[in-house]
């Protein structure tokens, strides 16, 4: 499995966090909770040849 750690800022608590992305299947769109505040974050990304080509992380409207 081809993975990459992606660092970004949580859109809720603004803490720096990271997620491990599986780049072997592209595109992907899923929900993962922030490791600090536990709020749901939508992760939407595309990868090509083991490199992230496009990524968006955003809060889930509740």
């Amino acid at each position: 499995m081809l993975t990459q750690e992606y660092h970004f800022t949580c859109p809720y608590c603004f803490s720096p966090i990271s997620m491990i992305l599986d780049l072997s299947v592209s595109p992907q769109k899923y929900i993962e909770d922030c490791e600090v505040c536990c709020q749901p974050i939508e992760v939407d990304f595309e990868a090509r040849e083991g490199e992230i080509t496009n990524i968006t992380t955003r809060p889930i409207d509740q």
Side-chain angles (χ1 to χ4, degrees):
M1 179 168 33
L2 184 60
T3 61
Q4 181 176 335
E5 185 173 17
Y6 180 71
H7 297 267
F8 63 102
T9 301
C10 173
Y12 296 99
C13 69
F14 305 106
S15 295
I17 61 172
S18 67
M19 293 181 180
I20 303 296
L21 304 177
D22 175 4
L23 305 183
S24 64
V25 178
S26 178
Q28 287 191 50
K29 187 174 189 176
Y30 61 94
I31 307 297
E32 189 164 334
D33 292 342
C34 171
E35 59 194 33
V36 176
C37 69
C38 299
Q39 294 293 318
I41 301 169
E42 182 179 84
V43 179
D44 186 2
F45 74 90
E46 295 177 22
R48 183 176 301 135
E49 297 178 9
E51 296 292 325
I52 297 170
T53 57
N54 187 30
I55 187 165
T56 304
T57 56
R58 60 183 150 261
I60 303 298
D61 294 330
Q62 295 185 19

